[in-house]
Tab-separated table of all heavy atoms in Angstrom:
chain	number	residue	atom	x	y	z
A	1109	THR	N	-0.437	8.923	0.738
A	1109	THR	CA	0.964	8.516	0.792
A	1109	THR	C	1.087	7.043	0.422
A	1109	THR	O	0.099	6.299	0.467
A	1109	THR	CB	1.523	8.695	2.212
A	1109	THR	OG1	0.790	7.812	3.096
A	1109	THR	CG2	1.411	10.131	2.693
A	1110	PRO	N	2.292	6.615	0.101
A	1110	PRO	CA	2.500	5.187	-0.154
A	1110	PRO	C	2.081	4.336	1.045
A	1110	PRO	O	1.486	3.271	0.875
A	1110	PRO	CB	4.006	5.078	-0.413
A	1110	PRO	CG	4.401	6.432	-0.884
A	1110	PRO	CD	3.507	7.392	-0.156
A	1111	GLU	N	2.351	4.821	2.239
A	1111	GLU	CA	1.990	4.085	3.448
A	1111	GLU	C	0.477	3.910	3.555
A	1111	GLU	O	-0.013	2.835	3.892
A	1111	GLU	CB	2.535	4.791	4.696
A	1111	GLU	CG	4.049	4.799	4.800
A	1111	GLU	CD	4.746	5.829	3.915
A	1111	GLU	OE1	4.081	6.748	3.394
A	1111	GLU	OE2	5.965	5.704	3.724
A	1112	ARG	N	-0.236	4.971	3.261
A	1112	ARG	CA	-1.696	4.908	3.331
A	1112	ARG	C	-2.271	3.982	2.260
A	1112	ARG	O	-3.178	3.196	2.530
A	1112	ARG	CB	-2.277	6.306	3.172
A	1112	ARG	CG	-3.777	6.317	3.262
A	1112	ARG	CD	-4.295	7.725	3.374
A	1112	ARG	NE	-5.621	7.784	2.795
A	1112	ARG	CZ	-6.187	8.883	2.388
A	1112	ARG	NH1	-5.552	10.037	2.489
A	1112	ARG	NH2	-7.398	8.864	1.881
A	1113	ILE	N	-1.746	4.063	1.056
A	1113	ILE	CA	-2.214	3.198	-0.031
A	1113	ILE	C	-1.943	1.739	0.312
A	1113	ILE	O	-2.814	0.884	0.162
A	1113	ILE	CB	-1.543	3.578	-1.365
A	1113	ILE	CG1	-1.969	4.986	-1.795
A	1113	ILE	CG2	-1.886	2.553	-2.445
A	1113	ILE	CD1	-1.166	5.555	-2.944
A	1114	ALA	N	-0.735	1.459	0.797
A	1114	ALA	CA	-0.379	0.083	1.154
A	1114	ALA	C	-1.265	-0.434	2.283
A	1114	ALA	O	-1.786	-1.550	2.213
A	1114	ALA	CB	1.091	0.015	1.556
A	1115	ALA	N	-1.459	0.372	3.314
A	1115	ALA	CA	-2.284	-0.054	4.451
A	1115	ALA	C	-3.718	-0.330	4.006
A	1115	ALA	O	-4.337	-1.304	4.453
A	1115	ALA	CB	-2.259	1.006	5.544
A	1116	GLU	N	-4.230	0.488	3.140
A	1116	GLU	CA	-5.600	0.320	2.649
A	1116	GLU	C	-5.778	-1.010	1.910
A	1116	GLU	O	-6.865	-1.570	1.882
A	1116	GLU	CB	-5.965	1.482	1.720
A	1116	GLU	CG	-7.387	1.486	1.263
A	1116	GLU	CD	-8.391	1.727	2.374
A	1116	GLU	OE1	-8.059	2.412	3.352
A	1116	GLU	OE2	-9.522	1.231	2.241
A	1117	HIS	N	-4.685	-1.519	1.353
A	1117	HIS	CA	-4.749	-2.764	0.589
A	1117	HIS	C	-4.079	-3.931	1.305
A	1117	HIS	O	-3.860	-4.991	0.715
A	1117	HIS	CB	-4.138	-2.538	-0.792
A	1117	HIS	CG	-4.966	-1.590	-1.601
A	1117	HIS	ND1	-4.787	-0.223	-1.532
A	1117	HIS	CD2	-6.021	-1.795	-2.417
A	1117	HIS	CE1	-5.684	0.356	-2.306
A	1117	HIS	NE2	-6.442	-0.573	-2.853
A	1118	ALA	N	-3.762	-3.716	2.581
A	1118	ALA	CA	-3.177	-4.760	3.435
A	1118	ALA	C	-1.914	-5.373	2.830
A	1118	ALA	O	-1.718	-6.586	2.834
A	1118	ALA	CB	-4.209	-5.841	3.740
A	1119	ILE	N	-1.064	-4.480	2.310
A	1119	ILE	CA	0.233	-4.912	1.796
A	1119	ILE	C	1.306	-3.987	2.365
A	1119	ILE	O	1.002	-2.907	2.875
A	1119	ILE	CB	0.290	-4.896	0.242
A	1119	ILE	CG1	0.036	-3.475	-0.311
A	1119	ILE	CG2	-0.692	-5.914	-0.344
A	1119	ILE	CD1	0.199	-3.353	-1.817
A	1120	SER	N	2.539	-4.404	2.256
A	1120	SER	CA	3.633	-3.551	2.718
A	1120	SER	C	3.927	-2.479	1.675
A	1120	SER	O	3.562	-2.622	0.497
A	1120	SER	CB	4.893	-4.383	2.952
A	1120	SER	OG	5.402	-4.854	1.710
A	1121	VAL	N	4.584	-1.437	2.098
A	1121	VAL	CA	4.991	-0.388	1.172
A	1121	VAL	C	5.943	-0.976	0.129
A	1121	VAL	O	5.847	-0.658	-1.058
A	1121	VAL	CB	5.640	0.797	1.926
A	1121	VAL	CG1	6.218	1.811	0.967
A	1121	VAL	CG2	4.628	1.454	2.855
A	1122	ARG	N	6.800	-1.853	0.571
A	1122	ARG	CA	7.720	-2.503	-0.365
A	1122	ARG	C	6.947	-3.265	-1.437
A	1122	ARG	O	7.264	-3.187	-2.617
A	1122	ARG	CB	8.657	-3.446	0.380
A	1122	ARG	CG	9.610	-4.117	-0.561
A	1122	ARG	CD	10.604	-4.970	0.144
A	1122	ARG	NE	11.454	-5.553	-0.896
A	1122	ARG	CZ	12.256	-6.523	-0.723
A	1122	ARG	NH1	12.408	-7.057	0.463
A	1122	ARG	NH2	12.978	-6.995	-1.724
A	1123	ARG	N	5.924	-4.001	-1.016
A	1123	ARG	CA	5.106	-4.758	-1.968
A	1123	ARG	C	4.398	-3.811	-2.932
A	1123	ARG	O	4.267	-4.091	-4.126
A	1123	ARG	CB	4.086	-5.629	-1.218
A	1123	ARG	CG	3.147	-6.382	-2.103
A	1123	ARG	CD	3.879	-7.559	-2.778
A	1123	ARG	NE	3.002	-8.206	-3.708
A	1123	ARG	CZ	3.128	-8.148	-5.031
A	1123	ARG	NH1	4.136	-7.495	-5.567
A	1123	ARG	NH2	2.282	-8.756	-5.820
A	1124	LEU	N	3.945	-2.676	-2.437
A	1124	LEU	CA	3.304	-1.674	-3.283
A	1124	LEU	C	4.259	-1.205	-4.371
A	1124	LEU	O	3.915	-1.173	-5.552
A	1124	LEU	CB	2.834	-0.486	-2.441
A	1124	LEU	CG	2.272	0.707	-3.220
A	1124	LEU	CD1	0.984	0.331	-3.947
A	1124	LEU	CD2	2.044	1.880	-2.269
A	1125	TYR	N	5.477	-0.845	-3.963
A	1125	TYR	CA	6.456	-0.373	-4.937
A	1125	TYR	C	6.840	-1.463	-5.932
A	1125	TYR	O	7.026	-1.185	-7.120
A	1125	TYR	CB	7.692	0.189	-4.236
A	1125	TYR	CG	7.491	1.605	-3.755
A	1125	TYR	CD1	7.471	1.904	-2.403
A	1125	TYR	CD2	7.317	2.659	-4.650
A	1125	TYR	CE1	7.287	3.201	-1.956
A	1125	TYR	CE2	7.131	3.951	-4.209
A	1125	TYR	CZ	7.120	4.224	-2.870
A	1125	TYR	OH	6.933	5.507	-2.437
A	1126	LEU	N	6.941	-2.699	-5.491
A	1126	LEU	CA	7.242	-3.802	-6.405
A	1126	LEU	C	6.112	-4.004	-7.409
A	1126	LEU	O	6.350	-4.221	-8.595
A	1126	LEU	CB	7.502	-5.095	-5.629
A	1126	LEU	CG	8.845	-5.180	-4.906
A	1126	LEU	CD1	8.885	-6.423	-4.005
A	1126	LEU	CD2	9.988	-5.203	-5.910
A	1127	LEU	N	4.897	-3.947	-6.927
A	1127	LEU	CA	3.725	-4.102	-7.783
A	1127	LEU	C	3.727	-3.042	-8.881
A	1127	LEU	O	3.535	-3.339	-10.066
A	1127	LEU	CB	2.458	-3.994	-6.934
A	1127	LEU	CG	1.125	-4.063	-7.658
A	1127	LEU	CD1	0.852	-5.489	-8.131
A	1127	LEU	CD2	0.010	-3.597	-6.727
A	1128	LEU	N	3.947	-1.804	-8.481
A	1128	LEU	CA	3.960	-0.704	-9.449
A	1128	LEU	C	5.152	-0.790	-10.385
A	1128	LEU	O	5.029	-0.546	-11.587
A	1128	LEU	CB	3.924	0.633	-8.719
A	1128	LEU	CG	2.623	0.906	-7.969
A	1128	LEU	CD1	2.775	2.080	-7.026
A	1128	LEU	CD2	1.481	1.137	-8.933
A	1129	SER	N	6.293	-1.155	-9.852
A	1129	SER	CA	7.485	-1.296	-10.666
A	1129	SER	C	7.300	-2.373	-11.739
A	1129	SER	O	7.683	-2.188	-12.900
A	1129	SER	CB	8.692	-1.639	-9.790
A	1129	SER	OG	9.837	-1.842	-10.574
A	1130	ASP	N	6.691	-3.482	-11.355
A	1130	ASP	CA	6.415	-4.555	-12.316
A	1130	ASP	C	5.495	-4.085	-13.438
A	1130	ASP	O	5.539	-4.618	-14.543
A	1130	ASP	CB	5.799	-5.769	-11.615
A	1130	ASP	CG	6.801	-6.531	-10.762
A	1130	ASP	OD1	8.022	-6.273	-10.878
A	1130	ASP	OD2	6.353	-7.384	-9.964
A	1131	ALA	N	4.660	-3.097	-13.142
A	1131	ALA	CA	3.755	-2.530	-14.144
A	1131	ALA	C	4.404	-1.367	-14.897
A	1131	ALA	O	3.765	-0.726	-15.738
A	1131	ALA	CB	2.471	-2.063	-13.479
A	1132	GLY	N	5.663	-1.074	-14.573
A	1132	GLY	CA	6.375	0.010	-15.235
A	1132	GLY	C	5.976	1.392	-14.745
A	1132	GLY	O	6.107	2.369	-15.474
A	1133	LEU	N	5.511	1.463	-13.504
A	1133	LEU	CA	5.050	2.738	-12.949
A	1133	LEU	C	5.909	3.197	-11.784
A	1133	LEU	O	6.309	2.394	-10.952
A	1133	LEU	CB	3.614	2.605	-12.449
A	1133	LEU	CG	2.542	2.272	-13.475
A	1133	LEU	CD1	1.222	1.980	-12.781
A	1133	LEU	CD2	2.373	3.404	-14.463
A	1134	SER	N	6.134	4.492	-11.726
A	1134	SER	CA	6.701	5.150	-10.553
A	1134	SER	C	5.520	5.773	-9.827
A	1134	SER	O	4.776	6.570	-10.417
A	1134	SER	CB	7.686	6.241	-10.977
A	1134	SER	OG	7.840	7.208	-9.967
A	1135	LEU	N	5.307	5.424	-8.568
A	1135	LEU	CA	4.149	5.922	-7.831
A	1135	LEU	C	4.084	7.439	-7.845
A	1135	LEU	O	3.047	8.023	-8.173
A	1135	LEU	CB	4.142	5.395	-6.391
A	1135	LEU	CG	2.968	5.853	-5.533
A	1135	LEU	CD1	1.634	5.412	-6.134
A	1135	LEU	CD2	3.118	5.347	-4.114
A	1136	GLU	N	5.164	8.088	-7.509
A	1136	GLU	CA	5.165	9.549	-7.435
A	1136	GLU	C	4.820	10.176	-8.785
A	1136	GLU	O	3.953	11.045	-8.869
A	1136	GLU	CB	6.520	10.069	-6.956
A	1136	GLU	CG	6.571	11.578	-6.878
A	1136	GLU	CD	7.935	12.115	-6.472
A	1136	GLU	OE1	8.915	11.365	-6.453
A	1136	GLU	OE2	7.987	13.307	-6.180
A	1137	GLN	N	5.469	9.729	-9.839
A	1137	GLN	CA	5.215	10.305	-11.157
A	1137	GLN	C	3.811	9.989	-11.655
A	1137	GLN	O	3.158	10.827	-12.272
A	1137	GLN	CB	6.269	9.836	-12.161
A	1137	GLN	CG	7.636	10.409	-11.896
A	1137	GLN	CD	7.614	11.930	-11.769
A	1137	GLN	OE1	7.099	12.642	-12.622
A	1137	GLN	NE2	8.155	12.442	-10.671
A	1138	TRP	N	3.338	8.772	-11.367
A	1138	TRP	CA	1.992	8.404	-11.783
A	1138	TRP	C	0.955	9.284	-11.073
A	1138	TRP	O	0.020	9.774	-11.706
A	1138	TRP	CB	1.734	6.915	-11.510
A	1138	TRP	CG	0.363	6.494	-11.927
A	1138	TRP	CD1	-0.067	6.243	-13.206
A	1138	TRP	CD2	-0.768	6.324	-11.074
A	1138	TRP	NE1	-1.404	5.923	-13.188
A	1138	TRP	CE2	-1.867	5.961	-11.886
A	1138	TRP	CE3	-0.967	6.430	-9.706
A	1138	TRP	CZ2	-3.133	5.703	-11.382
A	1138	TRP	CZ3	-2.232	6.174	-9.195
A	1138	TRP	CH2	-3.292	5.814	-10.038
A	1139	LEU	N	1.134	9.497	-9.765
A	1139	LEU	CA	0.203	10.357	-9.020
A	1139	LEU	C	0.221	11.785	-9.560
A	1139	LEU	O	-0.842	12.404	-9.718
A	1139	LEU	CB	0.531	10.357	-7.528
A	1139	LEU	CG	0.149	9.107	-6.756
A	1139	LEU	CD1	0.668	9.188	-5.323
A	1139	LEU	CD2	-1.350	8.886	-6.775
A	1140	ILE	N	1.394	12.295	-9.850
A	1140	ILE	CA	1.484	13.657	-10.398
A	1140	ILE	C	0.782	13.731	-11.746
A	1140	ILE	O	0.001	14.662	-12.010
A	1140	ILE	CB	2.956	14.118	-10.503
A	1140	ILE	CG1	3.511	14.387	-9.100
A	1140	ILE	CG2	3.081	15.365	-11.374
A	1140	ILE	CD1	5.000	14.615	-9.057
A	1141	THR	N	1.005	12.756	-12.596
A	1141	THR	CA	0.354	12.725	-13.903
A	1141	THR	C	-1.161	12.665	-13.761
A	1141	THR	O	-1.891	13.383	-14.455
A	1141	THR	CB	0.868	11.523	-14.724
A	1141	THR	OG1	2.279	11.661	-14.907
A	1141	THR	CG2	0.188	11.431	-16.074
A	1142	GLU	N	-1.642	11.826	-12.861
A	1142	GLU	CA	-3.088	11.716	-12.624
A	1142	GLU	C	-3.658	13.010	-12.055
A	1142	GLU	O	-4.748	13.449	-12.440
A	1142	GLU	CB	-3.387	10.556	-11.672
A	1142	GLU	CG	-3.135	9.197	-12.280
A	1142	GLU	CD	-4.089	8.863	-13.423
A	1142	GLU	OE1	-5.306	9.060	-13.267
A	1142	GLU	OE2	-3.604	8.387	-14.457
A	1143	ARG	N	-2.934	13.633	-11.152
A	1143	ARG	CA	-3.401	14.899	-10.557
A	1143	ARG	C	-3.428	16.009	-11.601
A	1143	ARG	O	-4.353	16.821	-11.629
A	1143	ARG	CB	-2.525	15.278	-9.370
A	1143	ARG	CG	-2.829	14.431	-8.150
A	1143	ARG	CD	-1.877	14.673	-7.015
A	1143	ARG	NE	-2.429	14.082	-5.784
A	1143	ARG	CZ	-1.709	13.793	-4.733
A	1143	ARG	NH1	-0.406	14.046	-4.705
A	1143	ARG	NH2	-2.286	13.258	-3.672
A	1144	LEU	N	-2.434	16.052	-12.465
A	1144	LEU	CA	-2.415	17.053	-13.526
A	1144	LEU	C	-3.563	16.825	-14.508
A	1144	LEU	O	-4.190	17.784	-14.975
A	1144	LEU	CB	-1.074	17.045	-14.253
A	1144	LEU	CG	0.112	17.572	-13.450
A	1144	LEU	CD1	1.416	17.316	-14.205
A	1144	LEU	CD2	-0.055	19.042	-13.118
A	1145	ALA	N	-3.851	15.574	-14.819
A	1145	ALA	CA	-4.971	15.268	-15.715
A	1145	ALA	C	-6.295	15.690	-15.084
A	1145	ALA	O	-7.182	16.227	-15.764
A	1145	ALA	CB	-4.978	13.778	-16.057
A	1146	LYS	N	-6.431	15.463	-13.793
A	1146	LYS	CA	-7.639	15.905	-13.077
A	1146	LYS	C	-7.745	17.425	-13.148
A	1146	LYS	O	-8.821	17.967	-13.403
A	1146	LYS	CB	-7.601	15.436	-11.623
A	1146	LYS	CG	-8.796	15.891	-10.809
A	1146	LYS	CD	-8.733	15.406	-9.377
A	1146	LYS	CE	-9.940	15.916	-8.596
A	1146	LYS	NZ	-9.933	15.425	-7.215
A	1147	ALA	N	-6.630	18.109	-12.933
A	1147	ALA	CA	-6.626	19.576	-12.993
A	1147	ALA	C	-7.018	20.051	-14.385
A	1147	ALA	O	-7.797	21.009	-14.524
A	1147	ALA	CB	-5.249	20.112	-12.620
A	1148	ARG	N	-6.539	19.385	-15.396
A	1148	ARG	CA	-6.882	19.773	-16.770
A	1148	ARG	C	-8.385	19.630	-17.012
A	1148	ARG	O	-9.001	20.488	-17.637
A	1148	ARG	CB	-6.093	18.933	-17.763
A	1148	ARG	CG	-6.264	19.405	-19.178
A	1148	ARG	CD	-5.373	18.642	-20.112
A	1148	ARG	NE	-5.312	19.332	-21.379
A	1148	ARG	CZ	-4.975	18.769	-22.502
A	1148	ARG	NH1	-4.633	17.490	-22.528
A	1148	ARG	NH2	-4.942	19.446	-23.619
A	1149	ARG	N	-8.967	18.550	-16.502
A	1149	ARG	CA	-10.421	18.368	-16.643
A	1149	ARG	C	-11.176	19.479	-15.909
A	1149	ARG	O	-12.166	20.010	-16.426
A	1149	ARG	CB	-10.841	16.997	-16.120
A	1149	ARG	CG	-10.406	15.852	-17.004
A	1149	ARG	CD	-11.001	14.525	-16.586
A	1149	ARG	NE	-10.658	14.114	-15.233
A	1149	ARG	CZ	-9.567	13.440	-14.899
A	1149	ARG	NH1	-8.675	13.099	-15.811
A	1149	ARG	NH2	-9.363	13.101	-13.632
A	1150	ILE	N	-10.712	19.826	-14.724
A	1150	ILE	CA	-11.357	20.904	-13.971
A	1150	ILE	C	-11.246	22.224	-14.719
A	1150	ILE	O	-12.230	22.959	-14.855
A	1150	ILE	CB	-10.747	21.024	-12.550
A	1150	ILE	CG1	-11.175	19.823	-11.696
A	1150	ILE	CG2	-11.152	22.336	-11.885
A	1150	ILE	CD1	-10.467	19.734	-10.350
A	1151	LEU	N	-10.064	22.512	-15.215
A	1151	LEU	CA	-9.846	23.776	-15.907
A	1151	LEU	C	-10.641	23.857	-17.211
A	1151	LEU	O	-10.973	24.949	-17.668
A	1151	LEU	CB	-8.354	23.984	-16.178
A	1151	LEU	CG	-7.505	24.232	-14.937
A	1151	LEU	CD1	-6.030	24.173	-15.287
A	1151	LEU	CD2	-7.861	25.553	-14.288
């Protein structure tokens, strides 16, 4: 979750979303894309 990712890096969830936004990323969509790519490699 965003909370878990933020806690692991000692930042707030807000800071996490700002960091990703500055990089042009949506956390949810990026995770889905990465998970689908992993699934494609498995398949």
